[in-house]
Amino acid sequence: MVVIGQVRVRVSVIIPTHNEAEAIGRVLADLPSDLSTEVIVVDSNSNDGTPEIAAKMGARVIHEPRRGYGRACLTGLAAADSPDVVVFLDGDYSDRPSELPSLLAPIIEGSADVTLGSRLRQRSARALPWHQVLGNRLAASLIRLLYGLDISDLGPFRAGRADVLRTLALQETTYGWAVEMILKCSLAGFRVVEVPMSYHPRIGKSKISGTLKGTAGAGWFILSLIVRYYFRRRRAGTPRPA
């Protein structure tokens, strides 16, 4: 049990990894130990010693042989030990785990159900390639237009009330998982709040944005998912959130 202010909460931190040996030690070392009840590293077939490093540093390591960012997050979520709040954090040290208090604050204060770390205001030079910045802005603009949700980024550093995440019944197993959470929150009327976060060049090579094929594939999938959920809502007659 973690005490934040006068509130006692159980916070589970889930970190998907695949060959993050250069970074995972710094991620775990910078994670405020007094703010997390458990740290779960969900590793997908790393062959560089990532899970061994994580285990030595006290993380609970779960091996998930099936590839997919969303699948790793869902595996970690299913394995979490009765959390009140769940945090999702990449293992490449591009987000700073030390900023976790800012991410948790709106949830603990009761003003948000899900918080998203926005990378676009305080990012370091070259932290995000121009095509990824453009894709994120396009996706966020489309979400604002179709769903009325005021967001600027689809950042991976995020937190959510565990009961809300269970209600959403998330299913996407690839990079669409991150946007699925946002869309379903909007459709269900949950409160999504962005929190400005710093963002830095990742350690190691990106599995998605580092390649033209990965960037194009992720962008197309995310944009089509946004449109698909919108028309699914219209067919179902779900009212647009105010």
Side-chain angles (χ1 to χ4, degrees):
M1 190 74 70
V2 177
V3 180
I4 304 177
Q6 301 299 317
V7 183
R8 294 178 178 272
V9 294
R10 292 183 59 85
V11 179
S12 296
V13 179
I14 297 173
I15 308 175
T17 59
H18 175 67
N19 289 337
E20 307 287 5
E22 296 179 74
I24 191 62
R26 299 183 70 175
V27 172
L28 295 174
D30 281 9
L31 194 62
S33 59
D34 60 333
L35 294 183
S36 58
T37 308
E38 63 175 348
V39 179
I40 303 173
V41 170
V42 183
D43 188 75
S44 178
N45 304 315
S46 290
N47 56 17
D48 65 348
T50 296
E52 290 79 10
I53 295 171
K56 286 180 181 179
M57 296 191 66
R60 176 184 169 199
V61 177
I62 297 177
H63 297 276
E64 173 51 86
R66 298 169 296 177
R67 294 295 297 273
Y69 177 78
R71 191 182 300 280
C73 291
L74 290 171
T75 296
L77 184 59
D81 184 13
S82 304
D84 298 304
V85 179
V86 181
V87 175
F88 299 94
L89 171 66
D90 280 356
D92 58 17
Y93 203 55
S94 51
D95 288 297
R96 290 300 187 251
S98 59
E99 297 178 15
L100 180 58
S102 297
L103 190 71
L104 290 175
I107 297 176
I108 302 304
E109 293 166 359
S111 60
D113 300 307
V114 169
T115 53
L116 308 175
S118 176
R119 305 166 291 181
L120 301 184
R121 299 176 186 175
Q122 304 180 48
R123 68 181 187 277
S124 301
R126 300 183 299 278
L128 281 173
W130 68 267
H131 48 83
Q132 192 174 1
V133 173
L134 180 62
N136 269 274
R137 286 179 173 168
L138 179 59
S141 297
L142 193 58
I143 290 173
R144 288 197 302 271
L145 176 65
L146 299 181
Y147 296 82
L149 187 62
D150 187 17
I151 63 171
S152 64
D153 190 22
L154 309 179
F157 194 16
R158 53 182 63 191
R161 287 172 38 200
D163 58 337
V164 168
L165 296 176
R166 287 191 291 267
T167 299
L168 296 180
L170 300 168
Q171 298 177 337
E172 294 290 339
T173 59
T174 60
Y175 28 74
W177 182 88
V179 74
E180 179 195 15
M181 179 190 296
I182 298 172
L183 300 182
K184 285 188 172 181
C185 275
S186 176
L187 294 175
F190 291 119
R191 299 164 299 169
V192 178
V193 173
E194 272 197 333
V195 180
M197 293 283 163
S198 63
Y199 196 72
H200 307 265
R202 63 163 290 140
I203 298 176
K205 184 179 179 181
S206 172
K207 285 75 175 176
I208 298 176
S209 62
T211 67
L212 179 59
K213 180 180 178 181
T215 300
W220 173 255
F221 187 86
I222 287 171
L223 292 175
S224 63
L225 190 67
I226 293 170
V227 174
R228 189 165 70 247
Y229 268 77
Y230 173 75
F231 283 107
R232 181 185 300 175
R233 178 187 66 188
R234 292 194 63 178
R235 288 196 300 269
T238 305
R240 177 173 175 161

